[in-house]
Amino acid sequence: MEKAKISASQLFILMVLFELGSALLVPLAIRARQDAWLAILMGMLGSFILFLVYHKLYTYYPTLLPTEYMQKILGKVMGTVLAFIYILYFMYDASRVLRDFGEMLLTFAYPDTPLFIANALLMLVIIYTIRKGIEVIARSGELLFIFMYILAVAGFILIISSGLIDFKNLQPVLEEGLLPSVKVALSETLYFPFTEAIVFTMIFPYLNDSKKAKVTMLCATGLSGINLVITMLINISVLGVNLTARSQFPLLSTVASIQVADFLERLDVFFMLAMVIGIFFKVTILFYAATIGTANLFKIKSPSMLAYPLGIVVLFLSVTIASNFQEHLHEGLYIAKFILHIPLFTIIPPILLFIAFLQKRKDHGDKHI
Protein backbone atom coordinates (compact mmCIF):
# COMPACT_ATOMS: atom_id res chain seq x y z
CA MET A 1 0.00 0.00 0.00
CA GLU A 2 1.38 3.41 -0.93
CA LYS A 3 1.59 6.06 1.79
CA ALA A 4 -1.09 8.40 0.50
CA LYS A 5 -4.33 9.97 1.71
CA ILE A 6 -7.41 11.28 -0.09
CA SER A 7 -10.27 13.36 1.29
CA ALA A 8 -13.95 12.37 1.46
CA SER A 9 -14.80 14.90 -1.28
CA GLN A 10 -12.17 13.36 -3.58
CA LEU A 11 -13.59 9.88 -2.92
CA PHE A 12 -17.07 11.25 -3.68
CA ILE A 13 -15.92 12.68 -7.04
CA LEU A 14 -14.09 9.48 -8.03
CA MET A 15 -17.16 7.37 -7.21
CA VAL A 16 -19.50 9.58 -9.27
CA LEU A 17 -17.12 9.57 -12.26
CA PHE A 18 -16.70 5.80 -11.91
CA GLU A 19 -20.42 5.02 -11.79
CA LEU A 20 -21.27 7.35 -14.68
CA GLY A 21 -18.25 6.07 -16.68
CA SER A 22 -19.51 3.66 -19.33
CA ALA A 23 -23.12 3.62 -18.02
CA LEU A 24 -23.85 6.92 -19.83
CA LEU A 25 -22.77 5.27 -23.05
CA VAL A 26 -25.18 2.35 -23.36
CA PRO A 27 -29.02 2.07 -23.44
CA LEU A 28 -29.12 1.27 -19.72
CA ALA A 29 -32.12 -0.80 -18.49
CA ILE A 30 -33.88 -0.45 -21.85
CA ARG A 31 -35.45 -3.89 -21.41
CA ALA A 32 -37.84 -2.09 -19.05
CA ARG A 33 -38.76 0.08 -22.08
CA GLN A 34 -40.15 3.52 -21.10
CA ASP A 35 -39.81 2.56 -17.41
CA ALA A 36 -36.00 2.24 -17.74
CA TRP A 37 -35.62 5.21 -15.37
CA LEU A 38 -37.52 3.30 -12.67
CA ALA A 39 -35.31 0.20 -13.09
CA ILE A 40 -32.22 2.43 -12.64
CA LEU A 41 -33.73 3.97 -9.49
CA MET A 42 -34.52 0.53 -8.04
CA GLY A 43 -31.02 -0.76 -8.88
CA MET A 44 -29.54 2.24 -7.08
CA LEU A 45 -31.68 1.69 -3.95
CA GLY A 46 -30.83 -2.05 -3.93
CA SER A 47 -27.12 -1.25 -4.15
CA PHE A 48 -27.36 0.81 -0.92
CA ILE A 49 -27.97 -2.41 1.06
CA LEU A 50 -24.88 -4.08 -0.45
CA PHE A 51 -22.80 -0.95 0.11
CA LEU A 52 -23.62 -1.14 3.82
CA VAL A 53 -22.21 -4.70 3.79
CA TYR A 54 -18.99 -3.53 2.06
CA HIS A 55 -18.72 -0.62 4.50
CA LYS A 56 -19.20 -2.83 7.58
CA LEU A 57 -16.32 -5.05 6.43
CA TYR A 58 -14.20 -1.90 6.08
CA THR A 59 -15.05 -0.80 9.65
CA TYR A 60 -13.81 -4.17 10.95
CA TYR A 61 -10.47 -3.76 9.10
CA PRO A 62 -10.06 0.02 8.43
CA THR A 63 -6.33 -0.10 7.67
CA LEU A 64 -6.31 -3.28 5.57
CA LEU A 65 -6.95 -3.81 1.90
CA PRO A 66 -9.63 -6.44 1.07
CA THR A 67 -6.83 -8.68 -0.28
CA GLU A 68 -5.44 -8.71 3.29
CA TYR A 69 -8.62 -9.04 5.32
CA MET A 70 -9.93 -11.86 3.11
CA GLN A 71 -6.91 -13.88 4.33
CA LYS A 72 -7.70 -12.99 7.96
CA ILE A 73 -11.34 -14.03 7.56
CA LEU A 74 -10.95 -17.19 5.45
CA GLY A 75 -7.40 -18.26 6.29
CA LYS A 76 -4.23 -17.95 4.21
CA VAL A 77 -5.05 -20.36 1.34
CA MET A 78 -8.75 -19.66 0.72
CA GLY A 79 -8.31 -15.93 1.38
CA THR A 80 -5.46 -15.70 -1.14
CA VAL A 81 -7.49 -17.58 -3.79
CA LEU A 82 -10.52 -15.30 -3.29
CA ALA A 83 -8.39 -12.15 -3.31
CA PHE A 84 -6.79 -13.31 -6.57
CA ILE A 85 -10.26 -13.89 -8.10
CA TYR A 86 -11.25 -10.30 -7.25
CA ILE A 87 -8.00 -8.97 -8.77
CA LEU A 88 -8.71 -10.93 -11.97
CA TYR A 89 -12.23 -9.50 -11.99
CA PHE A 90 -10.94 -5.91 -11.70
CA MET A 91 -8.63 -6.52 -14.66
CA TYR A 92 -11.42 -8.15 -16.67
CA ASP A 93 -13.80 -5.26 -15.93
CA ALA A 94 -11.12 -2.69 -16.84
CA SER A 95 -10.63 -4.43 -20.20
CA ARG A 96 -14.43 -4.42 -20.81
CA VAL A 97 -14.68 -0.67 -20.20
CA LEU A 98 -11.59 -0.08 -22.35
CA ARG A 99 -13.33 -2.01 -25.15
CA ASP A 100 -16.39 0.26 -24.74
CA PHE A 101 -14.11 3.27 -25.21
CA GLY A 102 -12.46 1.84 -28.34
CA GLU A 103 -15.80 0.89 -29.94
CA MET A 104 -17.23 4.36 -29.25
CA LEU A 105 -14.19 6.10 -30.71
CA LEU A 106 -14.24 3.94 -33.84
CA THR A 107 -17.99 4.32 -34.35
CA PHE A 108 -17.97 8.06 -33.83
CA ALA A 109 -14.77 9.44 -35.32
CA TYR A 110 -12.14 6.94 -36.49
CA PRO A 111 -13.79 4.10 -38.44
CA ASP A 112 -10.53 3.10 -40.18
CA THR A 113 -8.35 3.05 -37.04
CA PRO A 114 -7.58 -0.42 -35.59
CA LEU A 115 -9.28 -1.02 -32.22
CA PHE A 116 -5.90 -1.94 -30.69
CA ILE A 117 -4.43 1.50 -31.47
CA ALA A 118 -7.39 3.41 -29.99
CA ASN A 119 -7.29 1.32 -26.81
CA ALA A 120 -3.48 1.49 -26.55
CA LEU A 121 -3.48 5.31 -26.57
CA LEU A 122 -5.85 5.48 -23.59
CA MET A 123 -4.03 2.66 -21.81
CA LEU A 124 -0.71 4.52 -22.02
CA VAL A 125 -2.24 7.55 -20.29
CA ILE A 126 -3.81 5.29 -17.63
CA ILE A 127 -0.48 3.50 -16.94
CA TYR A 128 1.24 6.89 -16.55
CA THR A 129 -1.49 8.04 -14.11
CA ILE A 130 -1.34 4.81 -12.07
CA ARG A 131 2.41 5.21 -11.62
CA LYS A 132 1.77 8.64 -10.07
CA GLY A 133 -0.49 7.17 -7.36
CA ILE A 134 -3.97 7.65 -5.88
CA GLU A 135 -3.45 11.29 -4.82
CA VAL A 136 -2.77 12.37 -8.41
CA ILE A 137 -5.78 10.35 -9.64
CA ALA A 138 -7.98 12.08 -7.04
CA ARG A 139 -6.72 15.59 -7.90
CA SER A 140 -7.22 14.93 -11.63
CA GLY A 141 -10.78 13.85 -10.77
CA GLU A 142 -11.47 17.17 -9.03
CA LEU A 143 -10.43 19.15 -12.10
CA LEU A 144 -12.21 17.05 -14.71
CA PHE A 145 -15.38 16.56 -12.63
CA ILE A 146 -16.15 20.30 -12.87
CA PHE A 147 -15.48 20.27 -16.62
CA MET A 148 -17.73 17.22 -17.13
CA TYR A 149 -20.60 18.81 -15.22
CA ILE A 150 -20.32 22.08 -17.16
CA LEU A 151 -20.65 20.02 -20.37
CA ALA A 152 -23.61 18.09 -18.92
CA VAL A 153 -25.51 21.23 -17.85
CA ALA A 154 -24.81 22.95 -21.19
CA GLY A 155 -26.02 19.86 -23.07
CA PHE A 156 -29.17 19.66 -20.94
CA ILE A 157 -30.02 23.34 -21.60
CA LEU A 158 -29.40 22.94 -25.35
CA ILE A 159 -31.59 19.81 -25.59
CA ILE A 160 -34.47 21.64 -23.86
CA SER A 161 -34.04 24.83 -25.91
CA SER A 162 -33.94 22.92 -29.21
CA GLY A 163 -37.43 21.54 -28.48
CA LEU A 164 -36.48 17.87 -28.93
CA ILE A 165 -38.15 16.54 -25.79
CA ASP A 166 -41.49 14.78 -26.21
CA PHE A 167 -42.85 13.49 -22.89
CA LYS A 168 -45.41 11.31 -24.70
CA ASN A 169 -42.52 8.90 -25.40
CA LEU A 170 -42.36 8.19 -21.65
CA GLN A 171 -46.00 7.06 -21.52
CA PRO A 172 -47.68 4.88 -20.46
CA VAL A 173 -45.85 4.62 -17.13
CA LEU A 174 -45.84 1.05 -15.70
CA GLU A 175 -47.62 -0.28 -18.81
CA GLU A 176 -47.08 -3.90 -17.70
CA GLY A 177 -46.96 -3.21 -13.98
CA LEU A 178 -43.98 -2.99 -11.65
CA LEU A 179 -42.59 -6.49 -12.23
CA PRO A 180 -40.60 -5.86 -15.50
CA SER A 181 -38.79 -2.91 -13.86
CA VAL A 182 -38.01 -4.98 -10.75
CA LYS A 183 -36.64 -7.82 -12.93
CA VAL A 184 -34.36 -5.43 -14.87
CA ALA A 185 -33.21 -3.79 -11.62
CA LEU A 186 -32.30 -7.15 -10.03
CA SER A 187 -30.72 -8.61 -13.16
CA GLU A 188 -28.97 -5.58 -14.64
CA THR A 189 -28.83 -2.11 -13.01
CA LEU A 190 -28.00 -3.42 -9.52
CA TYR A 191 -24.69 -4.75 -10.89
CA PHE A 192 -23.96 -2.33 -13.70
CA PRO A 193 -23.06 0.34 -12.78
CA PHE A 194 -23.81 0.48 -9.04
CA THR A 195 -22.29 -2.49 -7.18
CA GLU A 196 -19.31 -2.44 -9.54
CA ALA A 197 -18.21 0.22 -7.03
CA ILE A 198 -17.11 -2.66 -4.77
CA VAL A 199 -13.71 -1.75 -6.28
CA PHE A 200 -13.67 1.25 -3.90
CA THR A 201 -13.15 -1.11 -0.95
CA MET A 202 -9.57 -1.18 -2.28
CA ILE A 203 -9.39 2.62 -1.92
CA PHE A 204 -11.13 3.07 1.47
CA PRO A 205 -7.90 2.53 3.50
CA TYR A 206 -6.49 5.69 1.83
CA LEU A 207 -9.36 7.84 3.16
CA ASN A 208 -8.10 10.44 5.65
CA ASP A 209 -11.36 10.34 7.68
CA SER A 210 -12.75 6.81 7.87
CA LYS A 211 -15.97 8.01 9.56
CA LYS A 212 -17.07 9.71 6.33
CA ALA A 213 -16.80 6.60 4.14
CA LYS A 214 -20.43 5.47 4.48
CA VAL A 215 -22.06 8.87 3.83
CA THR A 216 -19.69 9.54 0.92
CA MET A 217 -20.42 6.18 -0.70
CA LEU A 218 -24.21 6.53 -0.43
CA CYS A 219 -24.28 10.20 -1.54
CA ALA A 220 -22.05 9.50 -4.58
CA THR A 221 -24.23 6.58 -5.63
CA GLY A 222 -27.36 8.70 -5.12
CA LEU A 223 -26.01 11.50 -7.32
CA SER A 224 -24.80 9.21 -10.11
CA GLY A 225 -28.11 7.29 -9.96
CA ILE A 226 -30.13 10.49 -10.38
CA ASN A 227 -27.85 11.56 -13.26
CA LEU A 228 -28.41 8.22 -15.03
CA VAL A 229 -32.19 8.48 -14.46
CA ILE A 230 -32.23 11.97 -16.04
CA THR A 231 -30.05 10.76 -18.95
CA MET A 232 -32.40 7.85 -19.76
CA LEU A 233 -35.48 10.08 -19.40
CA ILE A 234 -33.94 12.49 -21.94
CA ASN A 235 -32.84 9.69 -24.31
CA ILE A 236 -36.29 8.09 -24.38
CA SER A 237 -38.20 11.38 -24.58
CA VAL A 238 -36.01 12.55 -27.52
CA LEU A 239 -35.48 9.29 -29.45
CA GLY A 240 -38.42 7.14 -28.33
CA VAL A 241 -38.12 3.64 -26.83
CA ASN A 242 -37.49 1.72 -30.06
CA LEU A 243 -34.74 4.01 -31.37
CA THR A 244 -33.06 4.13 -27.94
CA ALA A 245 -33.08 0.32 -27.80
CA ARG A 246 -31.64 -0.01 -31.33
CA SER A 247 -28.97 2.66 -30.87
CA GLN A 248 -25.51 1.48 -29.80
CA PHE A 249 -24.86 4.81 -28.07
CA PRO A 250 -28.23 6.54 -27.47
CA LEU A 251 -26.81 9.61 -25.72
CA LEU A 252 -24.58 10.23 -28.75
CA SER A 253 -27.68 10.08 -31.01
CA THR A 254 -29.54 12.46 -28.67
CA VAL A 255 -26.73 15.02 -28.57
CA ALA A 256 -26.20 14.71 -32.35
CA SER A 257 -29.82 15.77 -32.91
CA ILE A 258 -29.38 19.12 -31.09
CA GLN A 259 -30.01 22.07 -33.38
CA VAL A 260 -30.41 25.58 -31.99
CA ALA A 261 -31.09 28.61 -34.19
CA ASP A 262 -29.49 26.99 -37.28
CA PHE A 263 -25.95 27.51 -36.06
CA LEU A 264 -25.49 25.32 -32.96
CA GLU A 265 -25.26 21.75 -34.18
CA ARG A 266 -22.88 18.74 -34.41
CA LEU A 267 -22.24 19.03 -30.67
CA ASP A 268 -21.45 15.32 -30.31
CA VAL A 269 -17.77 16.19 -29.87
CA PHE A 270 -18.67 17.58 -26.41
CA PHE A 271 -20.42 14.34 -25.61
CA MET A 272 -17.26 12.50 -26.64
CA LEU A 273 -15.15 14.59 -24.25
CA ALA A 274 -17.46 13.80 -21.33
CA MET A 275 -17.45 10.10 -22.22
CA VAL A 276 -13.65 9.95 -22.47
CA ILE A 277 -13.36 11.54 -18.99
CA GLY A 278 -15.83 9.06 -17.43
CA ILE A 279 -14.30 6.00 -19.07
CA PHE A 280 -10.76 7.14 -18.27
CA PHE A 281 -11.56 7.27 -14.54
CA LYS A 282 -13.48 4.00 -14.54
CA VAL A 283 -10.60 2.07 -16.17
CA THR A 284 -8.03 3.90 -14.01
CA ILE A 285 -9.75 2.99 -10.72
CA LEU A 286 -10.30 -0.66 -11.72
CA PHE A 287 -6.72 -0.95 -12.94
CA TYR A 288 -5.34 0.80 -9.85
CA ALA A 289 -7.23 -1.67 -7.60
CA ALA A 290 -5.82 -4.61 -9.60
CA THR A 291 -2.29 -3.19 -9.37
CA ILE A 292 -2.21 -2.52 -5.61
CA GLY A 293 -4.08 -5.78 -4.95
CA THR A 294 -1.49 -7.78 -6.91
CA ALA A 295 1.39 -5.96 -5.20
CA ASN A 296 -0.18 -6.62 -1.80
CA LEU A 297 -0.93 -10.28 -2.47
CA PHE A 298 2.50 -11.14 -3.86
CA LYS A 299 4.43 -8.85 -1.45
CA ILE A 300 5.82 -6.59 -4.18
CA LYS A 301 7.34 -3.45 -2.63
CA SER A 302 6.61 -1.04 -5.49
CA PRO A 303 3.11 -1.38 -7.07
CA SER A 304 4.06 1.04 -9.88
CA MET A 305 6.42 -1.66 -11.25
CA LEU A 306 3.35 -3.74 -12.12
CA ALA A 307 1.64 -0.99 -14.14
CA TYR A 308 3.28 -1.91 -17.48
CA PRO A 309 2.94 -5.72 -17.45
CA LEU A 310 -0.64 -5.64 -16.10
CA GLY A 311 -1.50 -2.78 -18.47
CA ILE A 312 -0.40 -4.89 -21.46
CA VAL A 313 -2.60 -7.77 -20.21
CA VAL A 314 -5.66 -5.46 -19.91
CA LEU A 315 -4.97 -3.98 -23.35
CA PHE A 316 -4.76 -7.36 -25.10
CA LEU A 317 -7.77 -8.64 -23.18
CA SER A 318 -9.83 -5.63 -24.30
CA VAL A 319 -9.22 -6.50 -27.96
CA THR A 320 -9.65 -10.29 -27.69
CA ILE A 321 -12.59 -10.31 -25.25
CA ALA A 322 -15.20 -10.51 -28.05
CA SER A 323 -15.16 -10.66 -31.84
CA ASN A 324 -17.65 -7.77 -32.24
CA PHE A 325 -19.56 -5.18 -30.19
CA GLN A 326 -22.82 -7.18 -30.07
CA GLU A 327 -21.00 -10.20 -28.64
CA HIS A 328 -19.23 -7.90 -26.17
CA LEU A 329 -22.57 -6.49 -24.95
CA HIS A 330 -24.18 -9.93 -24.69
CA GLU A 331 -21.23 -11.21 -22.67
CA GLY A 332 -21.44 -8.25 -20.27
CA LEU A 333 -25.21 -8.30 -19.77
CA TYR A 334 -25.85 -12.02 -19.51
CA ILE A 335 -22.76 -14.24 -19.14
CA ALA A 336 -20.64 -12.06 -16.80
CA LYS A 337 -23.70 -11.36 -14.65
CA PHE A 338 -24.18 -14.98 -13.58
CA ILE A 339 -20.53 -16.05 -13.50
CA LEU A 340 -19.04 -12.92 -11.90
CA HIS A 341 -21.43 -10.20 -10.74
CA ILE A 342 -23.92 -12.19 -8.66
CA PRO A 343 -21.27 -14.23 -6.74
CA LEU A 344 -18.68 -11.43 -6.32
CA PHE A 345 -21.07 -8.57 -5.47
CA THR A 346 -24.07 -10.13 -3.73
CA ILE A 347 -23.12 -13.56 -2.31
CA ILE A 348 -19.47 -13.51 -1.18
CA PRO A 349 -19.39 -10.11 0.70
CA PRO A 350 -22.31 -10.99 3.08
CA ILE A 351 -20.68 -14.40 3.77
CA LEU A 352 -17.35 -12.65 4.55
CA LEU A 353 -19.17 -10.19 6.81
CA PHE A 354 -20.95 -13.01 8.68
CA ILE A 355 -17.67 -14.90 9.30
CA ALA A 356 -15.88 -11.68 10.31
CA PHE A 357 -18.73 -10.86 12.70
CA LEU A 358 -18.45 -14.32 14.36
CA GLN A 359 -14.65 -13.96 14.62
CA LYS A 360 -14.92 -10.50 16.21
CA ARG A 361 -17.53 -11.77 18.65
CA LYS A 362 -15.34 -14.73 19.60
CA ASP A 363 -12.28 -12.46 20.05
CA HIS A 364 -14.37 -10.12 22.19
CA GLY A 365 -15.59 -13.05 24.30
CA ASP A 366 -12.01 -14.37 24.74
CA LYS A 367 -10.85 -10.95 25.99
CA HIS A 368 -13.52 -10.91 28.68
CA ILE A 369 -12.49 -14.40 29.83
Side-chain angles (χ1 to χ4, degrees):
M1 231 177 100
E2 60 172 308
K3 286 179 172 58
K5 286 291 172 193
I6 61 168
S7 67
S9 62
Q10 288 174 325
L11 177 69
F12 173 85
I13 285 167
L14 288 178
M15 275 197 78
V16 173
L17 289 170
F18 177 90
E19 287 179 358
L20 293 178
S22 53
L24 285 172
L25 200 60
V26 294
L28 192 63
I30 199 62
R31 285 192 298 125
R33 298 186 62 74
Q34 64 268 29
D35 296 323
W37 62 274
L38 190 59
I40 296 168
L41 208 55
M42 286 176 183
M44 178 191 85
L45 294 171
S47 71
F48 284 171
I49 299 161
L50 288 165
F51 285 151
L52 293 174
V53 173
Y54 309 157
H55 177 261
K56 192 68 184 167
L57 275 167
Y58 163 63
T59 57
Y60 282 159
Y61 308 98
T63 57
L64 300 183
L65 292 171
T67 45
E68 290 172 292
Y69 67 62
M70 281 173 194
Q71 293 174 50
K72 280 191 177 293
I73 295 169
L74 297 174
K76 187 77 175 165
V77 177
M78 274 185 72
T80 303
V81 170
L82 185 62
F84 190 60
I85 289 167
Y86 272 95
I87 288 165
L88 290 177
Y89 169 72
F90 295 147
M91 288 181 68
Y92 168 76
D93 203 17
S95 69
R96 284 197 61 78
V97 182
L98 189 61
R99 176 66 176 259
D100 288 337
F101 164 81
E103 293 283 359
M104 175 190 72
L105 214 58
L106 268 54
T107 304
F108 169 74
Y110 306 108
D112 300 325
T113 306
L115 181 66
F116 180 82
I117 300 298
N119 288 3
L121 289 170
L122 184 66
M123 202 64 218
L124 279 170
V125 180
I126 288 165
I127 288 169
Y128 175 77
T129 313
I130 293 293
R131 287 177 63 83
K132 294 291 176 189
I134 189 69
E135 287 181 352
V136 171
I137 296 168
R139 284 200 295 271
S140 310
E142 286 177 309
L143 280 173
L144 293 169
F145 181 76
I146 298 162
F147 179 62
M148 194 172 170
Y149 262 83
I150 290 167
L151 288 178
V153 171
F156 185 62
I157 292 165
L158 288 170
I159 287 168
I160 292 170
S161 55
S162 57
L164 292 167
I165 290 175
D166 181 5
F167 288 116
K168 285 179 186 163
N169 288 332
L170 297 167
Q171 294 167 345
V173 177
L174 297 177
E175 186 178 11
E176 294 170 30
L178 201 59
L179 198 60
S181 300
V182 173
K183 277 183 183 170
V184 173
L186 290 175
S187 64
E188 191 181 320
T189 52
L190 177 63
Y191 311 107
F192 173 75
F194 297 114
T195 47
E196 271 185 311
I198 193 172
V199 69
F200 281 91
T201 55
M202 298 291 287
I203 290 168
F204 280 166
Y206 295 116
L207 195 60
N208 59 12
D209 186 354
S210 60
K211 292 187 185 74
K212 291 180 180 172
K214 189 203 293 184
V215 176
T216 305
M217 202 175 198
L218 298 179
C219 289
T221 303
L223 178 63
S224 51
I226 290 161
N227 286 345
L228 291 169
V229 165
I230 292 167
T231 303
M232 278 313 285
L233 283 170
I234 289 172
N235 285 342
I236 293 168
S237 57
V238 171
L239 303 173
V241 171
N242 293 329
L243 193 55
T244 305
R246 285 201 306 272
S247 175
Q248 272 188 352
F249 309 120
L251 189 56
L252 178 57
S253 307
T254 301
V255 175
S257 55
I258 293 174
Q259 227 177 344
V260 182
D262 293 330
F263 79 96
L264 263 178
E265 50 186 55
R266 295 295 298 164
L267 297 170
D268 24 11
V269 67
F270 291 113
F271 159 84
M272 282 290 294
L273 283 171
M275 285 295 89
V276 169
I277 291 168
I279 287 173
F280 166 76
F281 279 101
K282 189 161 188 176
V283 181
T284 300
I285 289 158
L286 285 162
F287 186 53
Y288 179 77
T291 307
I292 58 165
T294 307
N296 178 260
L297 205 59
F298 296 104
K299 306 287 184 283
I300 295 163
K301 288 274 193 291
S302 173
S304 59
M305 281 167 53
L306 295 166
Y308 288 112
L310 293 182
I312 290 164
V313 172
V314 169
L315 176 59
F316 276 99
L317 197 57
S318 74
V319 179
T320 56
I321 209 164
S323 53
N324 56 51
F325 193 56
Q326 267 59 44
E327 188 186 319
H328 168 69
L329 284 179
H330 176 78
E331 187 184 301
L333 283 175
Y334 302 104
I335 300 165
K337 178 180 75 187
F338 291 109
I339 297 172
L340 298 168
H341 296 165
I342 293 174
L344 295 181
F345 299 164
T346 60
I347 297 172
I348 292 169
I351 292 170
L352 286 174
L353 180 61
F354 181 65
I355 298 168
F357 170 73
L358 292 178
Q359 285 175 348
K360 292 282 176 187
R361 206 165 155 187
K362 184 176 175 289
D363 292 347
H364 194 65
D366 290 347
K367 275 178 192 170
H368 281 300
I369 291 162

